[in-house]
């Protein structure tokens, strides 16, 4: 596990309190919490029975956990068609707060729709500080307030340590609730990793060991590449191609992490040509995240990294084309109008709704009930394959 | 049917894509779609069984459709009192997105309340481009994304061709969902036409043929006058009075359309005096839509077009007073405190909630279930008349 | 009852209509309504059977009403654990509008969560004037519009007479719905008074007569101090300490009101030292509301009014520490990490959700059903004490 806890707690991303002595007091308590070992911190994400209930980082996942969430996802997805009334009642008394400090279409929308799949009540909020911080309330009190009324919180935050902050606030509350990271800081997007993993696992019919994957576009920034690569690295004999110009290549830390896990890493800076035909797992396209670039100018996308119709034809079964979306010019427009089972882009997106449904069922301990309700229903109906 | 498809697709109301070649590609595909005959396009709004499932334009309605929606409306409205639990469960697993790019009180609120009448989950969004368009996503992808998570979309848009755009995106998706136009461009407001029609039909006890109607105020702009007039024109021997100063008179195209449908059209520019006493259907008041005028100045309303208490007394049974709201000075304030069955203004507004409830039931194929549940319940209870 | 109806109706807080003659007409009607006796106005808040259904002012409450709401609160809170499915269905067809013109975290959130506890559909709106007022609609029409679609409205408003305005609009509507005041003007916050009262009643095991209470911090401004003090004054032999610097002391009108009710009033300007040990009811801390001060500068909080760990230890059973939140520097930070049954701050906040749940049940006439469902369930289960 890789943890970097040298956070700058004074960067203004957290309001620690109304006076310097208050701020110092609470920051010191938080630092004491962070000083625990990674193992202890992962343990703090689990309930008494060792179930992971705070979904904060892809590094916390192992294959049994992923396998379990994927099975619940399939059960939820298929049950919904013929046993939806039951599923819709399952978490009817639970309330979830979607606290999204950064804009998000897909992640936000799929989380809210996932909540309603299980009958949960949702509320969404753009900022911890919408109202009471004008009155001087600390973010710690604000988060604790929300956690008093709701049964789970999903958050998105630009703050690199918001996941740990939330975990800490829960650890000092007498009514802790599960927290889910919907994207935080520069590198964490654990639930996107799960949905991508689910899509790959289904496309490859669970045969992920030994497969090769190409990550194309912005391998440097973008939480999805980092989170997904780390999760795939849990498998054996994985080969990865990072296909990006030098300036968008995978960072050395992540490269080292993957190699340590046994991944064969190839860095391809010349273009996408010749890559699709040798990929046995998935070509994972991403857009250049130049909204992070200060100047607001959008550079012309290098055409050698565009996925073309020809490449789609070259892609060998069972490999698929993926994209976390939003997409830009990196995929040729005609592919939008092609009907081809290898294009998993929209299916991938919709899978996000079902993996998040499964995560909600899991954190509230209703995962077994989803599985049971699916298996019972399967006896009567012949479910459609994925 | 009147269709004008000479839209200026470059007016900036749709984001066609990230680069000029992408934009050109998608615009060309859309133009190909629009080049179909009006009949083909109406057909594209229907499901395999010929049911209208995309509710986009008043021109798509015929009397059997209107009759059907009105019956389902009455059934829904009356059932709700004594069979609400059943109705509330009917569409419990359906999710609807309310995508309102323009402000709206009544239309927005009645659509959201209508969704909840049937147990649907609602989400509302001000703009397609809230988040991902900053990342360069096209409106086509954005709409397709929403349509992946939801089961229906209700939209309001200033764009004259947004209805056709949405229909096109659905036609190229492998998961199309019903689309409802909650007001678009300058002239389309099909669901308002339905609620006004329902109010008139109920007030006149279904005897609409041969009746006369006065449209007062802003006959030039305002989607409601245009949509309602076109719908009433489906009936026989209709006479219409457009009571407005010259500058707000009905436009020649709509006048020609109505005349072609057999409507006797009268243009009255001198004032409302003498009109209410000769109307046998409804006096439909509207406000001058001067928020469209550039200068921000509100002109003094011409007092000769104010509906007075005296006129209310002159209105002959069964004719009624209507107003799509919001109202301003065109109705005398004392009428607000009068209790008179001829004042249908607030009832009309509330009918909007029920007609939209019926539309949701219809597009999801639950219309027969609403009718059945009402008829079953009617055997046990004596329902209150409208 | 203390009513001051010398409101300045021209202060711009209400949009009375589009023209001066309209505005004059409606204001005159409203003034006629206000000219009624306080008894008549309270009666206008009750239904035909004398039940208080518009929850507008703490002055409208009497001990039987408070006692009843507290019992329903306890029943709702306890039932939810083992009979939640039933409770969640109770008001499933009701829709409530949360109309919050001022920011609010706790009040807003607990009201929305309370609605969903009973299965109600919620919509929230920041302003009456979000959309249609740009088109010239009066606030009277806007409120009447909302009341046509919803079954109850909860509002927060900076306007001192918004509660009476809303009551008046309902009184002239043929579809009046219950209205709840979630905080209005400078002094009214009736539902906060109920939740504080509930917390005190539970902490003191219903023995409130003869107890002493300290209000600390901002006794001048702040709706919670005023509303709670008035409600506690309904009990016998109450002693109150207003612990605040001269400039934040309780105002003469409220002091006179309390004395007239038989309360023994002490004004303490020197600091909190020595107070906690003599309090037999509750120490009610509040923050200095200096966001009302024009200059935007936050003064240093006077350390003699800080509640310390030592004071917590001095507090004698059964007295408790309360705070309506948000808090600032008036409570020492270490208390945040103390686990002590005397700290009722977070419990108090969560009680707000349950008292508001009870209020909803009450205004819709489902209070007896909540009590019944609790008593039935109690036979089977041994409920946990508060």
């Amino acid at each position: 596990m890789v943890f970097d806890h040298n956070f700058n707690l004074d960067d203004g991303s957290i309001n620690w309190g109304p006076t310097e002595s208050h701020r110092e007091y609470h920051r010191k308590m938080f630092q004491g919490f962070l000083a625990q070992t990674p193992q202890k911190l992962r343990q703090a994400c689990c309930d008494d029975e060792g179930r992971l209930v705070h979904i904060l980082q892809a590094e916390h996942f192992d294959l049994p956990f992923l396998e379990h969430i994927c099975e619940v996802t399939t059960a939820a997805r298929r049950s919904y068609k013929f046993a939806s009334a039951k599923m819709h009642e399952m978490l009817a008394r639970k309330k979830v707060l979607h606290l999204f400090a950064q804009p998000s279409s897909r992640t936000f929308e799929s989380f809210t729709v996932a909540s309603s799949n299980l009958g949960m009540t949702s509320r969404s909020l753009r900022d911890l500080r919408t109202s009471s911080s004008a009155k001087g309330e600390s973010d710690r009190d604000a988060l604790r307030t929300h956690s008093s009324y709701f049964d789970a919180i999903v958050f998105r935050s630009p703050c690199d340590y918001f996941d740990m902050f939330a975990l800490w606030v829960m650890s000092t509350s007498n009514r802790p609730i599960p927290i889910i990271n919907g994207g935080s800081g520069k590198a964490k997007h654990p639930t996107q990793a799960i949905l991508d993993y689910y899509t790959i696992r289904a496309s490859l019919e669970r045969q992920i060991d030994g497969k090769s994957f190409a990550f194309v576009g912005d391998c440097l920034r973008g939480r999805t590449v980092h989170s997904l690569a780390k999760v795939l690295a849990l498998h054996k004999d994985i080969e990865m191609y990072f296909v990006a110009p030098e300036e968008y290549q995978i960072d050395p830390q992540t490269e080292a992490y993957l190699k340590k896990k046994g991944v064969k890493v190839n860095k391809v800076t010349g273009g996408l040509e010749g890559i699709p035909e040798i990929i046995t797992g998935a070509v994972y396209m991403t857009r250049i995240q130049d909204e992070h670039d200060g100047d607001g100018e959008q550079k012309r996308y290098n055409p050698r990294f565009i996925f073309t119709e020809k490449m789609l034809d070259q892609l060998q079964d069972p490999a698929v084309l993926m994209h976390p979306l939003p997409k830009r010019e990196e995929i040729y427009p005609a592919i939008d109008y092609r009907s081809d089972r290898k294009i998993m882009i929209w299916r991938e997106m919709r899978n996000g709704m079902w993996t998040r449904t499964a995560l909600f069922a899991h954190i509230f301990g209703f995962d077994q009930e989803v599985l049971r309700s699916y298996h019972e229903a399967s006896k009567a109906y012949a479910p459609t394959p994925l």
Side-chain angles (χ1 to χ4, degrees), chain A:
Chain A
M1 260 173 278
V2 175
F3 285 96
D4 176 10
H5 285 151
N6 296 321
F7 303 125
N8 175 11
L9 303 186
D10 294 316
D11 62 358
S13 47
I14 299 288
N15 171 356
W16 291 99
T19 69
E20 190 44 44
S21 74
H22 273 248
R23 289 192 282 273
E24 218 168 277
Y25 194 100
H26 293 305
R27 266 193 311 247
K28 225 169 122 185
M29 297 296 283
F30 180 48
Q31 277 160 337
F33 178 78
L34 284 181
Q36 296 173 89
T37 62
Q39 288 69 25
K40 277 275 180 199
L41 285 171
R42 189 191 185 279
Q43 207 173 305
C45 294
C46 297
D47 67 8
D48 296 344
E49 296 158 25
R51 294 163 54 89
L52 198 63
V53 289
H54 300 294
I55 310 297
L56 301 182
Q57 310 184 343
E59 288 88 347
H60 286 175
F61 305 157
D62 52 25
L63 284 183
F65 173 79
L66 290 167
E67 189 63 23
H68 177 61
I69 296 298
C70 288
E71 292 206 359
V72 179
T73 299
T74 298
R77 188 172 62 83
R78 292 187 184 161
S79 307
Y80 202 67
K81 295 185 183 162
F82 45 84
S84 68
K86 198 168 180 183
M87 271 186 64
H88 194 74
E89 284 306 305
M90 222 171 256
L91 297 179
R93 73 169 209 171
K94 298 291 186 191
K95 296 144 218 149
V96 59
L97 178 68
H98 304 273
L99 184 66
F100 274 59
Q102 283 183 308
S104 161
S105 292
R106 269 154 282 268
T107 306
F108 176 78
E109 215 154 79
S110 64
F111 264 120
T112 56
V113 169
S115 343
S116 77
N117 280 344
L118 296 165
M120 298 169 74
T121 301
S122 277
R123 198 198 152 198
S124 61
L125 203 63
R126 282 299 305 268
D127 203 328
L128 261 185
R129 301 183 197 171
T130 308
S131 69
S132 285
S133 97
K135 301 175 187 165
E137 182 168 54
S138 72
D139 285 351
R140 178 181 152 78
D141 274 11
L143 190 60
R144 187 159 176 195
T145 293
H146 294 307
S147 75
S148 296
Y149 297 131
F150 290 92
D151 301 299
I153 293 177
V154 181
F155 74 87
R156 167 164 292 199
S157 169
C159 170
D160 272 323
Y161 50 91
F162 197 88
D163 53 337
M164 286 294 116
F165 174 74
L167 183 64
W168 168 63
V169 175
M170 290 305 105
S171 77
T172 63
S173 162
N174 56 359
R175 190 183 182 275
I177 59 169
I179 305 282
I180 298 179
N181 184 351
S184 75
K186 282 183 287 294
K188 294 174 196 159
H189 202 342
T191 66
Q192 175 79 33
I194 294 177
L195 81 88
D196 284 334
Y197 181 82
Y198 177 78
T199 306
I200 287 168
R201 177 180 172 275
S203 300
L204 305 184
E205 291 176 328
R206 305 190 189 192
Q207 307 302 319
I208 302 179
D209 289 353
K211 290 293 196 306
S212 61
F213 299 87
F215 295 93
V216 187
D218 199 335
C219 300
L220 178 63
R221 300 166 295 188
R223 303 150 169 162
T224 61
V225 171
H226 290 86
S227 291
L228 176 58
K230 284 175 182 170
V231 156
L232 288 173
L234 294 167
H235 280 276
K236 288 181 207 151
D237 304 322
I238 297 296
E239 182 157 13
M240 293 184 189
Y241 295 83
F242 293 95
V243 185
E246 201 56 53
E247 74 248 56
Y248 300 129
Q249 266 297 344
I250 191 79
D251 58 284
Q253 295 88 329
T254 306
E255 189 184 349
Y257 177 94
L258 295 171
K259 283 179 170 168
K260 211 175 122 192
K261 292 278 182 183
V263 175
K264 188 169 170 203
V265 174
N266 307 281
K267 298 190 336 191
V268 181
T269 55
L272 193 47
E273 187 78 47
I275 298 296
E277 54 219 87
I278 62 171
I279 291 301
T280 56
V283 176
Y284 191 89
M285 301 295 298
T286 65
R287 115 200 112 79
I288 304 297
Q289 306 213 353
D290 48 17
E291 74 270 20
H292 296 306
D293 298 345
D295 58 5
E297 286 268 318
Q298 190 181 309
K299 286 185 219 144
R300 210 176 74 84
Y301 188 77
N302 188 331
R304 282 182 295 144
F305 295 88
I306 289 177
F307 194 92
T308 63
E309 284 192 276
K310 199 185 110 201
M311 291 173 183
L312 184 65
D313 295 330
Q314 289 170 336
L315 208 57
Q316 295 299 310
D317 197 68
V320 291
L321 172 66
M322 295 173 69
H323 195 302
L325 298 179
K327 61 185 167 66
R328 224 152 49 185
E329 63 266 57
E330 60 274 4
I331 294 186
Y332 190 72
I335 290 180
D336 253 26
Y337 303 87
R338 289 271 302 256
S339 174
D340 190 318
R341 61 149 287 286
K342 288 180 284 186
I343 305 171
M344 288 300 283
I345 299 172
W346 297 98
R347 172 65 65 95
E348 175 188 2
M349 187 184 75
R350 202 166 147 78
N351 282 342
M353 182 181 89
W354 295 115
T355 49
R356 283 157 183 147
T357 302
L359 278 173
F360 281 128
H362 169 80
I363 61 173
F364 289 119
F366 277 75
D367 41 352
Q368 293 304 332
E369 189 151 336
V370 170
L371 291 172
R372 191 161 46 239
S373 117
Y374 170 57
H375 289 134
E376 272 167 27
S378 314
K379 285 175 204 159
Y381 300 82
T384 53
L386 180 76

